[in-house]
Amino acid sequence: MRLNSILECEGTIVEIDEYVPLIVRFESSRDSLPLYWRAGNGKTSLLEIGLNRYTGQIINVTVVAAGSVKMEGWKARVDGFILDVGIPAFKLERWGAGGSYSDNYIDDFSLEFELVVGVDEACILLGKRQDIDRVVENGCVSFGFSSSGELLSIRISCLRPNEVALLESHFCH
């Protein structure tokens, strides 16, 4: 997924429960059926990102299933990155215009991701490790992008101890 533009900040709601491990919702217009981009292998790992079908603005991020590791040992190079405040909107040319139900989904089931759980945060790392050159922050959620605008990470930094414990109970065996 590639960054198209940065829009004004939206309110953020983070939900962690025993059924769907992690959902981040943004208070944006939901007047239409969203477009979805899905990653993971589709069986034991699944990440779903919902986008506004007209603007490409991110509406939600849902981790349905994932492997997990502790935060120790993971460091992204973020020296000298560009910092923007707002919410990302993504390019939509990959979605079909045919109007069928399947045109609402792009499945990148060859793109694995990791959910890394820390003391008070969780980070979704997409694909191979790359340097983060641009960060877009919206409240306690930040999105890391490569120099070409490719989405590399989603970091949620406002987790309470009970939420971290619930995430660990889902993924850390």
Side-chain angles (χ1 to χ4, degrees):
M1 291 206 346
R2 295 217 184 273
L3 182 64
N4 187 43
S5 63
I6 300 167
L7 305 175
E8 289 185 28
C9 282
E10 295 279 348
T12 305
I13 301 166
V14 177
E15 299 173 16
I16 296 173
D17 65 35
E18 58 275 357
Y19 300 108
V20 178
L22 176 62
I23 301 172
V24 180
R25 297 181 204 279
F26 300 95
E27 296 174 0
S28 58
S29 174
R30 293 192 177 98
D31 296 338
S32 64
L33 181 65
L35 299 172
Y36 291 99
W37 177 80
R38 300 187 295 191
N41 63 26
K43 295 179 175 86
T44 59
S45 63
L46 179 61
L47 169 69
E48 185 175 85
I49 296 178
L51 304 175
N52 179 298
R53 73 173 44 248
Y54 302 112
T55 66
Q57 178 179 331
I58 193 162
I59 295 172
N60 60 53
V61 176
T62 304
V63 176
V64 178
S68 180
V69 296
K70 291 288 185 191
M71 198 58 139
E72 296 86 37
W74 175 75
K75 296 283 182 202
R77 186 196 67 77
V78 291
D79 300 330
F81 63 85
I82 298 166
L83 177 63
D84 293 298
V85 176
I87 190 161
F90 293 90
K91 295 182 179 183
L92 299 175
E93 67 267 359
R94 290 180 60 198
W95 278 267
S100 71
Y101 180 76
S102 63
D103 288 338
N104 294 321
Y105 293 88
I106 290 181
D107 294 332
D108 280 339
F109 289 147
S110 62
L111 179 66
E112 284 293 337
F113 70 94
E114 290 181 89
L115 177 66
V116 182
V117 179
V119 174
D120 61 355
E121 65 184 2
C123 188
I124 301 163
L125 303 173
L126 299 164
K128 295 180 181 174
R129 301 284 167 91
Q130 297 180 43
D131 290 340
I132 294 172
D133 290 308
R134 184 176 204 171
V135 173
V136 178
E137 285 187 347
N138 186 80
C140 66
V141 180
S142 60
F143 302 86
F145 294 91
S146 69
S147 59
S148 64
E150 181 182 355
L151 180 62
L152 301 176
S153 67
I154 303 168
R155 181 174 167 251
I156 302 99
S157 61
C158 56
L159 301 181
R160 296 183 303 271
N162 63 318
E163 293 172 321
V164 171
L166 192 53
L167 275 175
E168 288 178 343
S169 72
H170 272 292
F171 299 118
C172 299
H173 306 295

